[in-house]
Amino acid sequence: MDPIDYGRFEDGRHVNYYDLDYTIRREVARVTPRTDYDWADEQLRSFGQVVGDTIADNADLIDEHGPILHTYDRDGEVRNFVEYHPKQFENERLAYGAGIVSDSFEAPPGRDDPLPLTHHLAMEYLLSYADPGFTCPVSMTAGTALVLDKYGEGEVLQEYYERLVARDGEENIEGAMFLTEKQGGSDVGANETIAEHVEGDRYELTGEKWFCSNIDAEGTLALARTPDAPEGTKGLSLFLVPHTVDGELNSQLYRRLKDKLGTISVPTGEVELQGATGYLVGEEQRGFKYMTDMLNLERLSNASASVAIMGRCLLEAKIHAANREAFGSPIQEYPLMKRDLVDMAVDHEAAVAYTFEAGRVLSRRERDGDEDAYRLMRVLVPIAKSRTARMSVDTASYAMEILGGNGYVKDFVTHRLLRDAQVLPIWEGTSNILALDVLRALDREDAHEPLLEAIQSNLDAAEHPVLADTKESIQAASADLGAALATLATEDGEYAQLQAKELADYIFDVFTGSLLLAEAQSQIDEADDARLALVAERFVDRHLREHDSRGITSGDRFALEHFDAVVRYESVDPETLLESAPADD
């Protein structure tokens, strides 16, 4: 494959994001069943063009003219009306009409079966190249549909499900998730909203929800406690709370919208439930369990948005570095910039691979009910959300630096992407909350067993000689990870919590290293291309090896020698890497 000439672009818009991102294309091919791939690939290519040509420009305009809440009308009556820029409706029509939600739940036109959830995540990835804020309501629409599909009973909830997965703009509604209350925050078990039974599956909810994104969604899931229910999460029930009931506003007050740093396209506000109608989902006091299914998908949607921001920022940085001249040469020709772009590209490759592997495991669990997939998912998903969110902020910040002063002003998209990225470590659980969730998965689900098995399976797949040194380093790190897991299993809870984030990062590094290695073997087998072997080696060298003098004395010239392969996707003959490898002593 010839290297991409990024110098032929002015900036990262009016291009097909799917065509230019060989990383996501590879992951889609890997995680999509063969019977679904051709159809999915065509849809993603079409959507990548729509996002690049239209949604990206719309997103910049919407960011300048965000939603406005009109709580009351001129006569003082509650209106709960959110005013949007017209371009938001165009983006919704383009995204939902392309099947971004529907196609993973109901068979799209011309097919007999729906696509796996990884297809939904890939569509969200492309959307997030342009507008990570809009990805929030899209992901919550899918999450609400997932919960209603699994646990919703009765005609009312079935009707809402059908509208959540509709392609038609006249029929389609969006979903939302109102969890956070002022006194509880991440401590969902502290929620105080009360649900009083009226009749059948109909209840009245009273309470306050503090951070409600997509505030005016027609299909919102909310947690509340029925009278005499126990305290904590075990006492919570789940309800679908509509925006309107029988054509009239539901009994709730949209108090105000939050003045947020970023994700302007999605309105986030405070809601007072004043005897609001809610329809019970499933059984009473099982609401938090149901909600965790949505939460797992939301966390992967968060990760998908994170890695997409990394991809868009990397694209902007590559284009700028190829075109910007300083001291007589494009800045991509200078060693420091080569190193920066190589390491940003490797981070992106790693984050995308991990996220879509976690998505593949989640999809397998939802489609097949695979118990081992569930246990592995329980440890992979919170780490995917936590690590990629931080990587997204770091990548967006550095891309802004590469663009210099221009990157810091609103005329350039890095300004918005950094603001949008900053919420990703907060949404769906902070890094501390997620690290504790990893500990619970290891303790309650014995998730270390399928985790270590998956790592070893990836290592066993790597047989080509060019992968040998990288494999040896990952094998050693895997043994150390096993020792770390065993240590925390025998330590007291306080010490385990103290080390939880270190453990989560360690799992990400070892698992991702092994995954990249297995993918490198596949690429060698299928295309005689060792480019991913270089990506895996660089990732492992940076994250799993120790270097004397911080590597300064190592003679490392990786970024100079492999810039075109890593940054510009140039193919690499495996034999050339074997020929250039230093001989054993």
Side-chain angles (χ1 to χ4, degrees), residues 99-106 108 114-121 367:
I100 194 169
V101 171
S102 62
D103 290 355
S104 290
F105 292 91
E106 301 293 326
L115 277 294
L117 285 172
T118 48
H119 179 72
H120 164 68
L121 294 173
R367 178 168 285 190

Side-chain angles (χ1 to χ4, degrees), residues 354 376 378-384 387 435 438-439 441-442 447-448 451-452 455 474 477-478 480-482 484-485 488 499-515 539 544:
Y354 185 101
L376 183 56
R378 281 287 291 115
V379 70
L380 292 185
V381 168
I383 294 173
R387 181 66 173 266
V438 171
L439 292 184
L442 296 170
H448 64 284
L451 172 69
L452 294 175
I455 291 170
I474 302 171
S478 180
D480 287 346
L481 174 61
L485 289 165
L488 292 192
Q499 301 297 333
K501 287 203 286 191
E502 290 293 332
L503 178 66
D505 280 339
Y506 202 4
I507 291 172
F508 178 91
D509 291 341
V510 176
F511 186 88
T512 302
S514 76
L515 180 62
F539 179 83
L544 294 177

